[in-house]
Amino acid sequence: MTDQDISYEAARGELAAVVEKLEAGGTTLEESLALWERGEELAAICQRWLDGARARLDAARRERAAEPG
Amino acid sequence: MRVSEPEKDKSTPERPWPVRVVSQKIGAWVGKLGWVWIDGQLAQISRRPGTQVVFLTLRDPSADLSLTVTAHRDVLDAGAPNLAEGARVVLHAKPEFYPARGTLSLRADEIRQVGLGELLARIERLKRLLAAEGLFDPRLKRRPPFLPHRIGLVTGRASAAERDVLTNARRRWPAVEFRVVNVAVQGPAAVPQMIDALAVLDKDPDVDVIILARGGGSVEDLLPFSDEALCRAVSACRTPIISAIGHETDTPLVDFVADLRASTPTDAAKRVVPDLAEEWQRIGQARARLNRAMTGLLDREQHRLDLLRSRPVLARPELMVDGRLADLTALRDRAGRCLAHRLSAGTDELGHTLARLRALSPAATLQRGYAIVQRPDGTVVREPAQVAPGDALRLRLAGGEVPATVTAS
């Protein structure tokens, strides 16, 4: 599964796991950096999902507002 | 009257029967029925001035059939003095053929008006009969469509019931379509006309629900709606039928066989089409809830995501480096401090050594006027035997060196 296909829930779940692992510590700097980069990536994916959903919602609202009657 | 023709003779084109013969034969046949008791509805009554004979038109309440009845005024006065058109009667009569005009009529010698109580009792009996036959079974009831294509309406011409149904239905759903069949809703013609109208509308494929409507009226006015033939016709219709007869309290038998009973014509309009404004409002409410649910979900998820992103490990990734940098700095400091320590220790040692060195230095001795004699290779000359005449020497004084040469020993 590429990141384009990952669902919001899967991304959020993985993000939480990454955060926990980072918080637990005990990783090398290289591992920590890789984890952090993955975390940022996952957070961005989640945000894209939420932004996309909100945009669709707003578009539907504007359409409804433009409806006659 | 005696007829000369032999009775058994057949009529032929060559030997046709005269009118009087035919008339006499018909009279004989009609007379054979004799006296009978008849139940019917009075369609017309004419009391002609100056004659003792009253002419009545007796109709079948369920079918378009009628018979003429003649009775003596006394017969009427004795049995049914207040007889009016539309009344239900039972009479004892004998059919008679009037040869002079070739007409048939019944001659009654007894007429009884059927009272309201008797009529209601008959309806009650009919109700039990129809119920026993299963015509009121709730399983037979068909649901009228939510939004009908076209609505059939059977009602009186220009009646309040017609107006109530049309106005209220159009107010609720402006695009509603009607096919209206106007009929008599009371009196002797009502039942046959209503049955015909139902048959016409039931056959129309566009009509998917039929309303049978009539405004309020007396119990007698509403009698046609408890007619057995009408009830059976309603029951036989394949199109769902809504009955809307009279007021809330009226329950003619047709209400029981109809698929849906509306209390009034206005109520029928409410039941036959949904209210457009109400439907819009419902859709609007559902949409608003949908929106709120979706917005709430997004807000909650955004909050969850924000929480995760605000955790120090993600929000301040520099900490990851900073921590290690601090370790590094500490180590460097330690290393620096260690080195400095070692350096200062070395410097001290050097000082001491220098002091010791200086204490051992010959400079002070030289200062007092002594000199050190050295060969050019630096060897200090301690014995005269160490030199021969001609040897080069260096004399080290406090103030510097002086070159010298050995002249004699």
Side-chain angles (χ1 to χ4, degrees):
Chain A
M1 192 192 320
T2 71
D3 281 350
Q4 299 304 315
D5 303 330
I6 192 168
S7 77
Y8 171 78
E9 285 71 20
R12 196 194 57 210
E14 196 186 335
L15 176 59
V18 163
V19 167
E20 263 174 44
K21 207 167 172 186
L22 269 174
E23 282 176 344
T27 47
T28 66
L29 177 61
E30 199 180 337
E31 285 168 351
S32 298
L33 264 176
L35 279 173
W36 172 75
E37 277 172 2
R38 181 64 182 153
E40 279 298 322
E41 210 174 347
L42 290 165
I45 291 167
C46 287
Q47 192 63 60
R48 271 206 299 281
W49 271 114
L50 293 180
D51 289 349
R54 215 176 273 281
R56 277 161 70 176
L57 207 58
D58 290 345
R61 278 199 190 118
R62 274 198 302 281
E63 206 169 297
R64 166 129 178 71
E67 269 175 25
Chain B
M1 183 183 352
R2 233 4 253 162
V3 178
S4 55
E5 296 290 332
E7 298 245 334
K8 290 193 174 154
D9 282 0
K10 289 233 168 180
S11 61
T12 65
E14 291 72 34
R15 297 189 61 191
W17 289 351
V19 171
R20 62 184 181 280
V21 173
V22 177
S23 179
Q24 191 270 334
K25 282 178 185 292
I26 291 173
W29 274 105
V30 167
K32 276 183 190 166
L33 183 65
W35 290 92
V36 288
W37 286 97
I38 308 165
D39 172 24
Q41 190 175 19
L42 213 53
Q44 214 184 353
I45 176 164
S46 59
R47 293 181 169 92
R48 292 179 191 164
T51 140
Q52 291 297 300
V53 178
V54 180
F55 286 84
L56 310 169
T57 306
L58 189 67
R59 250 185 122 110
D60 188 296
S62 306
D64 209 354
L65 300 170
S66 60
L67 286 168
T68 305
V69 180
T70 59
H72 196 271
R73 201 179 276 267
D74 292 344
V75 169
L76 217 60
D77 290 346
N82 301 315
L83 206 58
E85 283 165 10
R88 196 72 176 255
V89 290
V90 169
L91 46 84
H92 189 237
K94 183 181 189 296
E96 284 183 345
F97 183 67
Y98 287 89
R101 271 178 290 140
T103 58
L104 180 85
S105 67
L106 295 164
R107 184 162 61 80
D109 68 351
E110 189 174 348
I111 296 182
R112 297 179 194 169
Q113 179 162 8
V114 180
L116 191 55
E118 169 60 17
L119 284 176
L120 294 178
R122 278 190 194 176
I123 289 174
E124 224 20 67
R125 280 199 296 278
L126 177 59
K127 186 175 170 183
R128 280 199 295 277
L129 173 76
L130 295 179
E133 282 185 33
L135 262 64
F136 304 162
D137 193 332
R139 281 171 300 182
L140 294 180
K141 310 282 182 206
R142 283 144 304 183
R143 265 175 84 94
F146 175 70
L147 186 55
H149 237 150
R150 184 178 284 174
I151 301 165
L153 176 60
V154 179
T155 191
R157 183 178 301 281
S159 63
E162 178 179 31
R163 198 183 55 239
D164 284 352
V165 171
L166 295 180
T167 310
N168 286 297
R170 284 186 180 132
R171 186 177 300 150
R172 291 169 65 84
W173 200 274
V176 70
E177 260 189 73
F178 275 98
R179 177 170 176 193
V180 181
V181 180
N182 290 118
V183 293
V185 289
Q186 66 192 71
V191 170
Q193 285 189 12
M194 287 192 288
I195 291 173
D196 285 351
L198 287 176
V200 166
L201 293 176
D202 195 29
K203 262 187 233 143
D204 185 338
D206 285 339
V207 170
D208 43 18
V209 59
I210 300 172
I211 300 175
L212 183 58
R214 188 211 193 279
S218 66
V219 174
E220 292 89 340
D221 285 343
L222 300 185
L223 286 175
F225 295 94
S226 291
D227 181 88
E228 181 175 354
L230 180 69
C231 286
R232 290 189 187 283
V234 165
S235 180
C237 270
R238 279 169 307 143
T239 314
I241 295 191
I242 300 175
S243 67
I245 314 299
H247 298 300
E248 177 65 49
T249 48
D250 297 319
T251 51
L253 292 189
V254 78
D255 275 354
F256 295 93
V257 287
D259 295 289
L260 189 69
R261 177 201 176 240
S263 56
T264 58
T266 301
D267 184 43
K270 282 184 190 157
R271 285 159 177 267
V272 79
V273 285
D275 187 318
L276 186 64
E278 210 172 276
E279 289 307 315
W280 271 117
Q281 202 185 349
R282 270 189 208 156
I283 292 169
Q285 278 168 357
R287 270 179 141 163
R289 281 179 63 188
L290 203 62
N291 252 316
R292 274 201 300 281
M294 209 45 222
T295 309
L297 178 75
L298 281 175
D299 287 349
R300 277 196 304 282
E301 288 305 326
Q302 186 65 59
H303 183 64
R304 284 176 79 169
L305 183 61
D306 289 348
L307 273 183
L308 276 174
R309 295 187 94 162
S310 69
R311 299 270 270 272
V313 287
L314 282 187
R316 301 181 55 205
E318 65 275 13
L319 286 183
M320 192 165 50
V321 178
D322 287 355
R324 287 173 166 85
L325 197 60
D327 290 350
L328 190 61
T329 311
L331 284 171
R332 284 173 84 172
D333 286 356
R334 266 173 70 192
R337 273 198 305 280
C338 195
L339 193 66
H341 184 68
R342 295 270 291 275
L343 268 175
S344 78
T347 310
D348 284 357
E349 205 183 302
L350 191 63
H352 289 139
T353 311
L354 210 58
R356 272 168 59 204
L357 188 69
R358 289 202 175 122
L360 293 172
S361 166
T365 313
L366 290 178
Q367 204 62 51
R368 291 204 299 274
Y370 294 88
I372 299 170
V373 180
Q374 287 177 296
R375 290 161 63 102
D377 64 353
T379 315
V380 177
V381 180
R382 289 186 177 84
E383 304 290 333
Q386 274 183 288
V387 294
D391 280 359
L393 296 172
R394 282 187 312 176
L395 303 182
R396 185 177 283 265
L397 310 179
E401 280 186 8
V402 178
T405 308
V406 180
T407 52
S409 57

